[in-house]
Amino acid sequence: MLVSVIIPMYNRESTIKDAAMSVLNQTHKDLELIIVDDCSKDNSVAVVNEMAKEDSRVRLIKSEKNGGACVARNIGIDNAKGEIIAFQDSDDMWHADKLEKCIKAIEEQDADFVFSALTRDEIIKGKKFSETIPVFNLNTEEDKFGRLLYQNYVSTQTIVAKRHIFEKVRFDKDFPRFQDWDFAIGVARCGFKIYYIPESLVDSEVLADSISYNGKKAVKALELMENKYKKEYEKRPDIYKKYCERAAFLIEMSGNNGTKYFENAYKTKKSFGGLVKLILAKLRLYRPLNKLVSKFM
């Protein structure tokens, strides 16, 4: 079974080879690796060209203009030949048996879309921190669409899906962050079968220029999310409240002020806990207190 693996790339000359080799060295060998260069200004393209000379499974596609990772992924999808499509990031590492385990899950569970946990490495003030990120077990959740409407469980580099999914769902180029969250919502909305593998199959490195640290992009993406699914949130106020609380948390952890979303959550369904969070956010105490509590949990 041919698998098309897509990597969007922009200025990753120091990491792209290792990320790509973790794909090429998979125990499942029947694959093509499509690397979409988003107008890199460094030596990334030369690195990929050298790899393509050594392994015929590597294909380089150059974007005509810089459009961002979502556009690059969609270009890769349009050029994919495989029955299965998967995604890798240009600075992460797959475990050698990732594809083998994901394909097995697709076949045994008759799933359209599978994803796994991942291990995230961050370097903060010169020190490396590593943690495995488990997610809620969507396999037992009847209302997957509702659950995904208020919290993200899917990271792009863990996604492995059947080709027919992409006839209905694509990455939204307008999202500067949380494109994986929006994509997973689209998959659930269409009724495709989702299966979660409760095992880390990816090692993700959060670099200094990662969008994970970009608070402004978080704010913009969450505004887009709220507007895109406005009708669904209006129909399901309990879920909208949970979405607002999650959005506020993400914004606060990105270093921005999440008061707006705490206010929306409190107005939707008033509670003592919601009021406390709102007051802390207005006093700019939510983030430091949350970090302090986390140290003792």
Side-chain angles (χ1 to χ4, degrees):
M1 181 185 295
L2 178 64
V3 179
S4 297
V5 182
I6 298 164
I7 301 180
M9 178 180 71
Y10 179 72
N11 292 346
R12 284 288 185 257
E13 64 178 349
S14 63
T15 62
I16 185 59
K17 185 171 183 179
D18 287 342
M21 289 306 298
S22 76
V23 174
L24 297 173
N25 290 332
Q26 289 289 298
T27 54
H28 180 89
K29 301 297 183 184
D30 189 12
L31 61 86
E32 63 171 355
L33 175 57
I34 302 171
I35 300 176
V36 183
D37 179 63
D38 197 27
C39 301
S40 293
K41 298 177 182 178
D42 63 359
N43 203 40
S44 297
V45 169
V47 173
V48 175
N49 281 332
E50 285 300 313
M51 294 181 65
K53 290 178 183 178
E54 298 175 3
D55 195 321
S56 61
R57 295 177 296 172
V58 178
R59 278 202 286 155
L60 173 67
I61 298 175
K62 295 182 181 180
S63 297
E64 294 182 0
K65 61 180 181 179
N66 181 270
C70 289
V71 171
R73 290 187 184 100
N74 288 336
I75 290 173
I77 291 167
D78 289 334
N79 287 273
K81 299 176 181 177
E83 301 172 55
I84 302 291
I85 297 177
F87 302 91
Q88 164 68 315
D89 283 348
S90 57
D91 50 6
D92 293 334
M93 298 290 291
W94 278 9
H95 294 193
D97 56 355
K98 171 185 159 57
L99 281 182
E100 182 181 345
K101 289 182 175 179
C102 289
I103 292 170
K104 182 179 180 181
I106 286 175
E107 294 174 340
E108 291 184 350
Q109 303 298 326
D110 191 27
D112 300 298
F113 176 101
V114 302
F115 68 104
S116 72
L118 61 80
T119 300
R120 184 172 63 195
D121 295 327
E122 293 188 57
I123 298 178
I124 303 174
K125 294 182 179 180
K127 294 183 179 180
K128 187 175 182 179
F129 297 87
S130 180
E131 62 175 336
T132 297
I133 313 296
V135 300
F136 181 84
N137 190 352
L138 283 175
N139 302 340
T140 60
E141 180 65 44
E142 292 184 9
D143 184 16
K144 292 182 175 64
F145 177 56
R147 170 68 73 158
L148 286 165
L149 273 173
Y150 69 83
Q151 188 159 348
N152 185 24
Y153 299 100
V154 181
S155 192
T156 312
Q157 65 275 57
T158 71
I159 295 173
V160 179
K162 290 181 178 177
R163 185 185 188 88
H164 66 259
I165 276 183
F166 302 96
E167 296 173 3
K168 292 188 176 181
V169 188
R170 290 294 182 100
F171 290 97
D172 191 329
K173 64 180 178 62
D174 292 329
F175 276 73
R177 281 186 67 179
F178 309 129
Q179 78 289 332
D180 41 16
W181 185 0
D182 172 64
F183 183 81
I185 290 174
V187 170
R189 177 192 247 171
C190 290
F192 292 117
K193 184 173 181 181
I194 299 172
Y195 185 77
Y196 167 61
I197 301 174
E199 176 185 354
S200 176
L201 298 177
V202 177
D203 294 329
S204 174
E205 185 173 7
V206 182
L207 301 175
D209 61 349
S210 171
I211 61 171
S212 297
Y213 290 132
N214 195 313
K216 290 182 179 180
K217 288 185 177 181
V219 172
K220 181 180 178 181
L222 289 166
E223 288 176 349
L224 287 169
M225 185 80 70
E226 184 173 5
N227 290 330
K228 187 170 184 176
Y229 300 106
K230 183 177 180 179
K231 291 183 179 179
E232 282 80 1
Y233 290 133
E234 288 176 347
K235 293 176 184 176
R236 308 171 81 167
D238 285 349
I239 283 178
Y240 178 62
K241 176 181 180 293
K242 291 177 181 179
Y243 165 77
C244 287
E245 289 180 338
R246 182 59 182 168
F249 173 80
L250 291 169
I251 289 173
E252 289 283 342
M253 292 303 103
S254 296
N256 285 261
N257 193 329
T259 299
K260 167 190 168 183
Y261 284 102
F262 279 123
E263 285 180 339
N264 288 346
Y266 184 67
K267 288 177 183 177
T268 303
K269 189 173 183 180
K270 294 182 180 180
S271 68
F272 177 73
L275 179 60
V276 170
K277 291 176 182 177
L278 175 57
I279 292 171
L280 290 175
K282 286 186 175 182
L283 294 174
R284 301 303 289 134
L285 292 173
Y286 181 87
R287 187 185 185 201
L289 286 177
N290 185 277
K291 285 192 170 185
L292 181 63
V293 171
S294 297
K295 289 182 179 180
F296 297 97
M297 293 181 67

